Amino acid sequence: MTGLQAGLKNRHLSMIAIGGVIGAGLFVGSSSGIATAGPGILLSYALVGTLVVLVMRMLGEMSAANPTSGSFSAHADRALGRWAGFSIGWLYWFFWVVVLAVEATAGAKILAGWMPAVPQWGWALIVMAVLTATNLVSVGSYGEFEFWFAGIKVVAIGAFIVVGGLAVFGVLPGVDSDKAGLSNLTGHGGFLPHGPGAILTGVLLVVFSFMGSEIATLAAGESEDPQRAVTKSTNSIIWRIAVFYLGSIFVVVTLLPWNDPSIKKQGSYVAALDSLGIAHAGQIMNFIVLTSVLSCLNSGLYTASRMAFSLGERGDAPKAFARTTSRGVPMAAILASVVFGFVAVFFNYKFPDSVFLFLVNSSGAVALFVWLVICFSQLRMRKIIQAEAPEKLVVKMWLYPYLTWATAALIVFVLGYMLTDTEHDGRETVLLSLLVAAVVLVVAVVKEKVRGGGRAVVAGASSVKVQDQDKVNAG
């Protein structure tokens, strides 16, 4: 057993951090948000973007002081108690293995459209198998694949913003778009055609496309300079969200009226490219979405396996998960994650409207649970770091603790608002996610009671926590 190895280069980490915020959800899911909130969807993206920036700042503070493959789960373990690290770790793992099935199916649809000779389930199998092999070779091969996948996404969105921006201001040579212009922001029923309440409904539709921002803090544990990597990715998240999310959505809603039927029919980015008369816009976008899907699959498998590895290391998962090959790859953790992913793909084809729908909805609110746990962990962790090693506070949360409490309150508000949303399955998603979280929490508490003399379910003084953490690390 050699443990994880520092196989990720700084360029890998930089691109993982950038690519992590550009999920396939941005390309695929933005059209329903635009239809719901009109140009006001920009405010929804800005609100969620601000939330992610604040949460990532908290996570950056904890991860720069203590980079680990368990990231927020390991921090919660130490700051809040064993029950918290166990619960949020397994919920996060569950979220990503369901994402594997969703993304594999999305990729298979595109590939089957190009090469129908291979059935859709066959493509899903091929895609999963290839990326499993990549992850099993070494962390470096995962990093290299992700570097290129993320690179294509970044270049594509950058080109889209530049070309679209030139068209909006009427300076794109050879293109005379009669629909483009800043007037689209207010000219079709106003900036908020469905009223201010639509901003919050928009938040519910876009919040899940931001999941993945935290991957860089998990990957930092296998990088050449973990502290520098975490600090860099935390500090750059503001411009990444501003450019890739707000910038590209701004281009979409200024190129076309928000209520243009093509946005819903073709998807927002394809419709925007089509309006400029760019040949084969649909196929170009399909290629970019496929790259995003493969990137998300690659990172999802990596993230799920590293969380399983960390849980195994802390005694909260089978010990085999914490074993690594001579190349530093947690093989059992990767295979266990991918097996569950394959099972979920099977459910998607066999029982799409029952079992698979339950899996998707019951993991849907996990992103918000994770962010909430990060808030409460940081409130406690700041005191622990200040008491033990204040020099490790190289990244600091702004206006601590007030901004941390405000962020937690906003997340609770969003969860509460979701309970009132019956039109977009918000209520069902929260209730099913809470049900799964309750089951995991009960398992955590029972496990703690069975374990007996270990850490208390709610940890006491920080000094006790530190001693117990040292025991876990030694074990």
Side-chain angles (χ1 to χ4, degrees), residues 381-426:
M381 203 64 168
R382 166 70 75 94
K383 292 171 185 166
I384 296 173
I385 299 167
Q386 279 176 327
E388 290 175 14
E391 72 281 358
K392 287 187 175 180
L393 276 172
V394 289
V395 176
K396 281 188 179 182
M397 176 58 184
W398 307 294
L399 296 176
Y400 167 86
Y402 310 108
L403 209 44
T404 304
W405 279 112
T407 308
L410 183 57
I411 295 167
V412 171
F413 174 75
V414 171
L415 281 166
Y417 188 77
M418 282 179 80
L419 288 171
T420 68
D421 175 49
T422 50
E423 192 184 341
H424 304 100
D425 297 330

Side-chain angles (χ1 to χ4, degrees), residues 21 24 29 39 114 161 178 197 224 260-261 303 336 383 409 424 449 459 473:
V21 295
W114 290 342
I161 292 170
D178 54 337
E224 297 160 340
D260 192 300
T303 307
K383 292 171 185 166
H424 304 100
K449 289 234 193 301
N473 292 339

